[in-house]
Amino acid sequence: MGFLGIIKLAFISLNRNKMRSFLTALGIIIGVASVVGMVALGQGAYYSVQENISKMGTNLIMVMPGSSNRRGFHGARGSMTTLKPADAEAILRDCPSVGMISPICRGSGQAVYGNNNSNTSCMGVTEDYLKIASREVSEGRFFTLNEISAGAKVCVVGSTVVENLFGNLNPIGKTIRYSKMPLEIIGVLKSRGESGMGGDQDDLILLPFSVVQRRIRGINHCDMLNISAATSDAVDSAKTEIEEVLRRRHKLAEGKDNDFNIVTQDDIAEMAGSTLTIIALLLGAIASVSLLVGGIGVMNIMLVSVTERTREIGIRMAIGAKTSDIMWQFLVESVVLTCAGGIIGILGGIGLAKVIAMFTQFTPVVSSTSIVVSVAFSACVGTFFGLYPAYKASQLDPIEAFRYE
């Protein structure tokens, strides 16, 4: 019998017991659907985070203080107060690869307008912040250089703050109180939604840097520096130049650790990507356990099938079927069963991904690679778990098979 004949016979044999064949394939269907769905979830999260990171800014480089170390006790990351506004001026002056820079000072407090209030965060920034962070003002305007220099009590608010304080009212020109300070709203930021870490990027008030630094925080340092390299190709050289300038300004001796940390947009994307890739692989590995269980179920049913069809095997051997013909017959049945289950499982996995998309902020991504791997893995499961039953069937003695009742 040719190979096509063996495949046809496999379909005939499986069709005799439709319900049993379906229940046997069900383990493979669930396993493949789980793998495809979980991998799609992981890849969707990966692409969503990468997209959010790409929106963080243009050729972004962030400089943050290092962790303090007093009497052998290491403080939290960023606990040093070594970054000064003068550092930003020196970097802009001495680093040719740097295009723009904005020192940042963070704060938090209660924003109040009339009977409405909202607990929100604020950031003190300079005039280049919007370009560096790739943000836009949807209504009104941003600070002028004179307003920043004079420490004017003006602010630009996010859409969440507008919704919490004003509802449907136009906030431009209105005065709110923030940390007991009156602030005139001169602009509204274009909505950006949630960040990759789940934070609301629109629940924010931007103020001139000196207002947050001196009047709200009462400090003489800054929390971080947001820097934009002159071009995308200049990010690495800008990072090197920034490190040299800061080490010189902070008088760090050769061999001494930096008292600051420099992180680029690519560094953040790489760290987030590697973490999410591991999570996606872990989810896929956990889901693939059900494939193993399904494979064991296939082996069990194929062994039962060999026992039930002992006389059929004996008759086929008696009329000239070779040992290899018998082995191929049962092996192909096993592979056809698992591959059919794999195809149905892929469709189920795509459906599962669509259901997940209804409850998440990102869209799961079903890749062609995961589909091909699922089909190939299903075939491997059918081959591996069908090999022993097929071998057992091929080793039956025709005479003993005829005697079997």
Side-chain angles (χ1 to χ4, degrees):
M1 182 180 293
F3 189 70
L4 291 177
I6 292 175
I7 294 176
K8 183 179 179 180
L9 185 61
F11 276 104
I12 293 172
S13 300
L14 293 174
N15 194 49
R16 289 175 186 167
N17 296 286
K18 296 183 182 68
M19 182 56 68
R20 186 171 73 177
S21 298
F22 172 74
L23 293 176
T24 304
L26 190 58
I28 303 297
I29 293 171
I30 294 173
V32 171
S34 301
V35 171
V36 172
M38 292 301 101
V39 171
L41 177 64
Q43 289 188 324
Y46 175 85
Y47 289 125
S48 176
V49 170
Q50 295 295 319
E51 183 181 0
N52 283 323
I53 290 173
S54 68
K55 293 178 181 177
M56 287 176 59
T58 305
N59 308 324
L60 184 63
I61 302 171
M62 291 178 289
V63 182
M64 293 165 285
S67 34
S68 58
N69 185 359
R70 296 180 181 176
R71 299 179 181 178
F73 176 76
H74 290 273
R77 185 175 181 178
S79 55
M80 280 186 172
T81 57
T82 51
L83 290 180
K84 310 289 183 182
D87 289 333
E89 298 173 5
I91 289 171
L92 193 59
R93 181 182 64 247
D94 300 335
C95 299
S97 299
V98 170
M100 295 175 287
I101 186 167
S102 173
I104 292 176
C105 194
R106 298 178 181 274
S108 62
Q110 198 80 8
V112 180
Y113 178 77
N115 294 326
N116 298 325
N117 65 84
S118 174
N119 190 23
T120 186
S121 60
C122 71
M123 283 176 57
V125 299
T126 59
E127 70 277 8
D128 289 327
Y129 173 77
L130 288 187
K131 294 179 182 177
I132 296 171
S134 295
R135 298 210 68 165
E136 299 176 15
V137 173
S138 60
E139 298 178 52
R141 61 179 180 85
F142 198 59
F143 321 128
T144 63
L145 182 58
N146 289 336
E147 287 172 329
I148 294 173
S149 301
K153 297 177 182 179
V154 292
C155 66
V156 176
V157 298
S159 57
T160 300
V161 177
V162 174
E163 183 180 345
N164 291 339
L165 296 182
F166 299 97
N168 296 324
L169 295 177
N170 184 357
I172 304 299
K174 300 289 193 303
T175 299
I176 63 173
R177 296 192 66 84
Y178 186 79
S179 294
K180 300 181 181 180
M181 181 189 302
L183 297 170
E184 180 188 354
I185 298 176
I186 60 172
V188 177
L189 289 170
K190 186 176 181 180
S191 180
R192 183 176 276 185
E194 290 189 359
S195 67
M197 304 302 177
D200 187 354
Q201 299 181 85
D202 300 320
D203 190 8
L204 175 69
I205 299 177
L206 297 182
L207 295 91
F209 175 78
S210 58
V211 173
V212 178
Q213 184 197 34
R214 297 171 188 171
R215 300 187 184 186
I216 294 179
R217 293 280 303 280
I219 57 177
N220 62 1
H221 62 273
C222 55
D223 295 321
M224 64 183 296
L225 303 175
N226 264 23
I227 302 169
S228 176
T231 65
S232 58
D233 296 330
V235 172
D236 291 335
S237 56
K239 184 177 179 179
T240 302
E241 293 167 4
I242 293 166
E243 183 176 9
E244 292 174 354
V245 169
L246 289 180
R247 286 188 64 86
R248 184 173 67 249
R249 285 187 54 80
H250 296 182
K251 299 177 181 179
L252 298 175
E254 187 176 351
K256 190 174 181 180
D257 292 339
N258 292 336
D259 58 0
F260 54 88
N261 298 299
I262 304 176
V263 181
T264 68
Q265 211 166 343
D266 292 338
D267 294 335
I268 298 172
E270 185 178 350
M271 286 187 290
S274 60
T275 301
L276 289 170
T277 299
I278 292 172
I279 293 174
L281 291 174
L282 182 61
L283 289 173
I286 293 172
S288 64
V289 172
S290 56
L291 271 176
L292 179 64
V293 175
I296 294 172
V298 170
M299 176 184 281
N300 181 46
I301 292 301
M302 292 307 297
L303 287 172
V304 171
S305 181
V306 169
T307 303
E308 289 179 345
R309 295 159 63 186
T310 301
R311 286 185 63 84
E312 176 193 330
I313 295 169
I315 293 172
R316 291 198 63 204
M317 286 183 169
I319 60 176
K322 299 178 182 177
T323 299
S324 59
D325 293 331
I326 302 298
M327 186 171 182
W328 274 112
Q329 177 187 349
F330 284 89
L331 188 59
V332 168
E333 282 184 26
S334 176
V335 173
V336 166
L337 194 62
T338 54
C339 284
I343 293 170
I344 298 173
I346 289 169
L347 298 177
I350 295 172
L352 178 62
K354 291 183 178 180
V355 171
I356 293 173
M358 297 169 61
F359 300 96
T360 59
Q361 297 295 325
F362 58 87
T363 304
V365 178
V366 180
S367 66
S368 56
T369 302
S370 64
I371 292 175
V372 172
V373 169
S374 296
V375 173
F377 196 68
S378 298
C380 290
V381 167
T383 303
F384 180 79
F385 288 100
L387 199 57
Y388 175 69
Y391 174 77
K392 184 177 179 181
S394 66
Q395 297 303 307
L396 286 176
D397 185 345
I399 297 175
E400 294 297 325
F402 271 125
R403 292 175 179 173
Y404 182 82
E405 293 293 334

